[in-house]
Amino acid sequence: MNYALLPLRIFSDERGKLGVLESYKDMPFAIKRMYYIFDTSPSFDRGGHAHRELEQIVLCLCGSCEFVLDNGSLRENVKLNSPEVGLYIGKNMWREMKNFSYDCRLVVLASDYYDDREYIRDYAEFIEFIKEIKCKE
Ligand code: T46
């Protein structure tokens, strides 16, 4: 599975906590884009796509949600509910996001600029894509 839960570098003192992520030190790519997700609801899921090349790290700064991660053979669920852990998602991973708390706040660090052509939004197409990659290996 091309994902990992990364413990973040947290500096903690009586004033509170400060978390740091530096490209190539704490994470395997340079950040070209950041986006954030807020005002969520448990009634609405997100995601339902894969990326051909994009790598991302998801930080859950507040609240909680669940990621379903699928490499075409295996499907695993990951709950995010701590700002002290980052979820790294590599390329060619199908993701669905569900069970958002109302107060969920996600920050996502991405390895590239937004490109809609880079998304695979159809699960059958994703499975075909994975088969093609395996044939070339
Ligand atoms: C992902 C998960 C974790 C942009 O115009 N620029 C952007 O950088 C992004 C991320 C989105 N958008 C537009 C495209 C759509 O019209 O924002 C709208 C909502 O995007 P989407 O439906 O793709 O949102 P999610 O939450 O389903 O997926 C997002 C990311 O798109 C995706 O890369 O891995 O969060």
Side-chain angles (χ1 to χ4, degrees):
M1 294 288 266
N2 194 9
Y3 81 87
L5 283 168
L6 309 175
L8 302 182
R9 270 197 289 149
I10 305 287
F11 295 88
S12 179
D13 58 38
E14 65 278 7
R15 298 169 297 168
K17 293 183 177 182
L18 183 154
V20 185
L21 271 166
E22 288 183 282
S23 296
Y24 301 122
K25 290 184 182 173
D26 308 292
M27 53 190 286
F29 60 84
I31 303 161
K32 281 199 179 163
R33 174 167 55 106
M34 180 278 275
Y35 60 91
Y36 48 99
I37 294 172
F38 60 101
D39 211 2
T40 53
S41 160
S43 308
F44 294 99
D45 298 342
R46 306 188 66 100
H49 57 252
H51 290 286
R52 295 168 203 276
E53 294 294 335
L54 191 74
E55 298 175 86
Q56 301 191 102
I57 289 184
V58 185
L59 306 174
C60 181
L61 296 187
C62 180
S64 63
C65 69
E66 207 173 309
F67 272 70
V68 180
L69 296 164
D70 181 330
N71 67 359
S73 312
L74 291 172
R75 184 166 265 245
E76 293 178 1
N77 287 29
V78 176
K79 183 162 183 169
L80 288 186
N81 58 4
S82 165
E84 304 201 8
V85 176
L87 171 63
Y88 167 78
I89 310 177
K91 61 183 179 178
N92 306 330
M93 290 288 291
W94 183 264
R95 85 276 332 256
E96 293 161 17
M97 301 140 79
K98 60 183 187 179
N99 294 331
F100 283 96
S101 62
Y102 286 109
D103 62 347
C104 184
R105 307 273 187 275
L106 299 182
V107 171
V108 185
L109 311 174
S111 64
D112 215 337
Y113 302 115
Y114 180 72
D115 179 1
D116 191 54
R117 294 166 302 177
E118 210 267 332
Y119 284 66
I120 303 173
R121 296 190 185 274
D122 179 78
Y123 189 72
E125 193 186 322
F126 169 67
I127 294 298
E128 283 308 309
F129 181 68
I130 294 292
K131 277 187 199 158
E132 280 170 30
I133 291 171
K134 285 195 175 148
C135 283
K136 285 179 193 159
E137 281 172 359

